Amino acid sequence: MPSIAKPVAIHPSLQKNVLGLTMRDYEGAMSTLCAGCGHDSVTAAIVRALWELATPPHMLAKMSGIGCSSKTPTYFVSGAHGFNSAHGRMAAIATGANAANRELTYIGISGDGDSLSIGLGHMCHAIRRNVKMLYIIENNGVYGLTKGQFSASADVGSKSKRGEPNRMAPIDPVALGLSLGATFIARSFSGDKEQLVPILKAGLAHRGFALVDVISPCVTFNDHVGSTKSYLHTRKHTRRVTESDFVPPATEILATIGQSGTTTVTMHDGSVVRFTGVPKDYDPTNRQRVTSYLQEHQGQGEVVTGLLYLDESVPDLHEMSNSPDQALSKVPYDKLCPGAAELAKLQEEYR
Amino acid sequence: MHQLLRTRVNDFAVKLANVNGTGSASANGLLMQAIFRMGIPVSGKNLFPSNIQGLPTWYEIRVNKDGHTARALDYDLIVAMNSQTYARDVREVREGGYILYDSSWPLDKSLIRDDVTYLGVPLAELCNDHFKEPRERILMKNIAYAGAMIAALDVDMEIVRQLLDEKYSSKKALRESNLRALSLGYDYAKKHFQCPLPFFLEKMDTTSDKILIDGNTATALGCVYAGATVAAWYPITPSTSVMDAFRGFCDQYRRDPETGKNNCLIIQAEDELSAIGMVIGAAWTGARSFTSTSGPGISLMGELLGLAYYAEIPAVVMDIQRVGPSTGMPTRTQQGDIMACAYASHGDTKHILLFPSNPAECFEFAVKSFDLAERFQTPVFMLSDLDIGMNDWVVPRLTWDDAYQPDRGRVLDLGQLEKLSKFLRYTNEDENHIASRTLPGVHSNGAFFTRGSGHNRLGAYTESPDEYQDVVERLLRKHKAAAKFVPAPVIQKRDRARIGIVTLGGCDPAVREAIDLLPQRGIEADFMRIRGFPFSEDVEAFLNEHDVNFIVEQNRDAQLRSLLVLETDVAKSKLRSILAFGGFPLSAKNVTDGILEQVGELTHAIDR
Ligand SMILES: Cc1ncc(C[n+]2csc(CCOP(=O)(O)OP(=O)(O)O)c2C)c(N)n1
Ligand code: SF4
Ligand SMILES: [Mg+2]
């Protein structure tokens, strides 16, 4: 709530990025979420990622639906436009926004209720359209804002605060993304900033739709013993399958890439994702391999994290539609209107 | 029999009964277009089923030298090409009328009426003798009956030939077979019947400054001229052809000659929730964007329309109305979405509505929709319908003023933003209660948080009653202010008329005809066609000036009347309803019958 004044403490890091901005310049209003909520850690990771990437604040568009998670765009980059829309509809609204102005950087923040129940269809279709945006699901297995009902990501057997087990199979956004042809799929944990920040940066550099599922525990409704989305459970069962870092477009660094034991993927904007640690039987560019690896390991109750799958070869919505490089919203009107003479000519066909 | 009918020139109605999917549309369209080219006022109404192949479909052509081309309910000639509906079609011909049928098979005795004339043409036999392919035989049967009608009604054969030349300029073989089929019917009719029939055509000069176009095509063209660049939709009859046409025009006009890129993006959405979401998103980033839909889509869009209203984001919705509720009758026409659009979404919402009456107004109002949506930063609905949208209408040629510049509303530009210290979204209202807005990507000073949750005039989250009311009360004032900007009502007055007849949209020709017919029955009435909501002062003044107003509309619940009751101070007792809502275009008879009955009741009540 912006009515709450922000304490004027000096941020430890007053270091400036290439735009001359400090991390503070990427912060937003004070969070009104519960103390300890995983979502706030995701916010912190976003702030760091954007600061490191030196994204100009006014070129960022922060999109969200409704939920505790969807409130978080208020808490970062107050110099950017934000759109806290309607429950489940963010993907559709972001698609339209992106259609009209592809020059902006889009971050969508959603919850597991927002994305996997009420807005599932929109998310799937945004994946299919490969809308260029970073799409983060702050996944806590419950509806936080409506006070703790199970969401569609709750695992079978996971217990509610009152002790009732969930019996329905979960919708796993990672598995779903793989089956829908998503071109960038990652899973991380709100408590693992070290892993999350480079993933977010890679997602922002991605050519199309970057799906990032972040396990982000709800301390108030889903952090008890018996819940599979608690801090404890997540920490205990996490398997960091891929180690990756993000190298911005810069030739000196490129020289070190390609050393033995690493896989690199050059992103559309010239930056590089370097996989520094990947199991032998794993290939983050092979959809089938990734799918079977995940099935096997998640079947054993592991929470597999990392930048899991990446494909930079698929065109995004605009490339598929052959739209101009510049924002459609900026095309001058005289290029859009055929004019009076043409109207007169055209009407000969309606005689 | 001929003697029963007086000779009538350019004044008759024909009904063609066909089977859906047999290719009758091109024969029927050919006749309609030929009459149009003969300079005669004409209309063609396609009454088609929600089916791809096999169900009955009708096409009605009305010719009227005085320009009354609303649907007629008396048919002088029925072309009975569908044995499933023979009985019903035969019943519908007026006494002394004609029935043209395929005499390759004998007519059942039960279909014989002794007050009509039967024109048997062995269409199937003729076509079987002259064409080899089964599909071709079916198609050419239609062209053959068109040939017989050309003879019977004295359609100008030269014009028909020219139309075929134009249509098949690159398909010589098709042109030849069409001509052959036409002659089969034509020659047979000339030889066996007394041609022309007592009602026939004669060239006039009323259409040289007109075009023949359907409302959906004109709507799409309006969107192109308005400069819309993002369109999102989900297919639904009868709106689909809006987007089909928009795509076609974009192929023609929006490919950048220098870069080869498309200056538009059309997205087939996963549903209407998404379609309106995309429109809102695109408008939020500054593009002119729209969707086209019909009633079921409007229902689905409800939540986000409220978001756009409350957060003040432009959106243009082309609602091509069909018969509801629910799936209703998808291929039949109605004006059933007036209330649903006026107050779309939960909470206190009110929207701007435009009501075009024909394709020419669809073009004009489509452009207007974008200007209003951006000026007032709110959703605007253009309520067309299946009759306007999918039937070809004769309308004045569309015109365009090259001086036109889109009204983008109060959007702060870079220069203005650089001078601002802090942008406060819902402050700084103008005389129409519109605040200035900013677009993302221009300057950090313009950044703000768009939200559908409670906000104060600064744009900040609020749960304070005063702050909340402050904003929604301004929204109400803003909506009222739009009354001066929507198209003014069309009003036509007679001397000393005490009765007003009020209508909207595609009811226009039927109501005008009724107003011309009523004096013969002793009733003089003034005419008003409402073209926009919120209602202007002119609308209210007209209603107040008349002792009684008949509100003619195509829905069960008198939705326009209800809206007038709610949104004007006119006494409810002054507003009476004439309703026709079965799904077919309105005819003057619906109006005159309704008014005569109610006037009878009224005078009866006064007498007592
Ligand atoms: C159409 C609609 N239905 C229901 C709601 C109520 N609602 C608000 S948030 C929410 C669930 C949020 O869950 P999630 O997306 O997982 O976010 P979280 O709060 O857990 O971060 C619901 C059901 C709503 N706002 N709109
Ligand atoms: S209810 Fe849960 S999800 Fe919502 S803010 Fe509190 S901890 Fe976070
Ligand atoms: Mg949740």
Side-chain angles (χ1 to χ4, degrees), chain A residues 65 86-92 95 110-129 135 137 139 143 151-153 169-180 209 211 213, chain B residues 270-271 273-274:
Chain A
H87 194 26
R89 311 295 163 219
M90 178 268 284
T95 301
S110 184
D112 40 330
D114 205 57
S115 275
L116 304 181
S117 286
I118 194 165
L120 182 64
H122 301 319
M123 185 187 76
C124 293
H125 288 274
I127 289 173
R128 292 183 59 233
R129 294 186 186 103
Y135 190 100
I137 303 175
N139 189 345
Y143 294 180
S151 81
S153 73
I171 296 177
D172 172 6
V174 168
L176 191 64
L178 282 165
S179 75
L180 290 171
F209 190 89
L211 176 65
D213 180 36
Chain B
E270 55 273 22
D271 51 35
L273 290 83
S274 160

Side-chain angles (χ1 to χ4, degrees), chain B residues 211-472:
Chain B
I211 55 166
L212 190 60
I213 193 170
D214 66 75
N216 286 353
T217 302
T219 299
L221 199 56
C223 295
V224 171
Y225 273 72
T229 49
V230 176
W233 69 301
Y234 189 76
I236 183 169
T237 304
S239 74
T240 297
S241 54
V242 172
M243 218 45 95
D244 288 346
F246 185 71
R247 184 179 295 280
F249 289 132
C250 284
D251 286 346
Q252 200 173 344
Y253 297 125
R254 290 291 183 79
R255 186 141 315 140
D256 196 304
E258 285 145 45
T259 61
K261 304 274 188 178
N262 300 323
N263 284 325
C264 68
L265 213 171
I266 303 168
I267 307 177
Q268 185 180 318
E270 55 273 22
D271 51 35
E272 287 88 347
L273 290 83
S274 160
I276 190 68
M278 290 173 188
V279 168
I280 292 168
W284 182 76
T285 39
R288 287 199 151 183
S289 57
F290 74 101
T291 184
S292 59
T293 188
S294 193
I298 296 291
S299 296
L300 283 183
M301 291 177 188
E303 189 196 17
L304 288 185
L305 287 166
L307 170 69
Y309 171 80
Y310 188 34
E312 300 184 60
I313 301 166
V316 172
V317 179
M318 304 300 178
D319 177 12
I320 318 303
Q321 299 166 95
R322 66 188 217 184
V323 172
S326 187
T327 301
M329 297 196 283
T331 60
R332 297 290 147 85
T333 198
Q334 205 172 60
Q335 297 169 321
D337 299 347
I338 301 171
M339 280 304 221
C341 291
Y343 302 115
S345 206
H346 55 279
D348 291 319
T349 55
K350 257 186 219 193
H351 303 291
I352 296 175
L353 314 181
L354 303 181
F355 308 114
S357 66
N358 60 42
E361 280 190 344
C362 287
F363 175 74
E364 183 190 337
F365 290 8
V367 178
K368 186 110 199 146
S369 302
F370 290 94
D371 284 341
L372 289 171
E374 290 200 305
R375 160 117 325 241
F376 285 91
Q377 304 176 7
T378 196
V380 171
F381 298 76
M382 185 174 96
L383 274 75
S384 175
D385 61 32
L386 181 139
D387 179 23
I388 301 171
M390 292 187 72
N391 285 318
D392 282 335
W393 292 57
V394 177
V395 294
R397 277 176 197 263
L398 311 177
T399 55
W400 187 253
D401 177 2
D402 279 329
Y404 168 85
Q405 280 300 316
D407 181 354
R408 308 303 311 259
R410 301 188 68 206
V411 182
L412 300 184
D413 62 21
L414 181 61
Q416 291 166 308
L417 286 174
E418 276 169 343
K419 281 186 227 122
L420 263 186
S421 56
K422 177 93 186 112
F423 171 68
L424 302 167
R425 172 64 177 93
Y426 304 109
T427 57
N428 185 27
E429 65 184 274
D430 68 6
E431 69 280 10
N432 295 312
H433 313 286
I434 301 161
S436 42
R437 67 178 186 128
T438 61
L439 302 176
V442 181
H443 195 285
S444 264
N445 286 352
F448 74 101
F449 213 67
T450 305
R451 59 178 102 239
S453 48
H455 48 264
N456 60 20
R457 59 166 65 198
L458 310 180
Y461 182 84
T462 191
E463 294 178 4
S464 141
D466 290 346
E467 288 189 343
Y468 162 79
Q469 285 189 22
D470 176 43
V471 170
V472 292

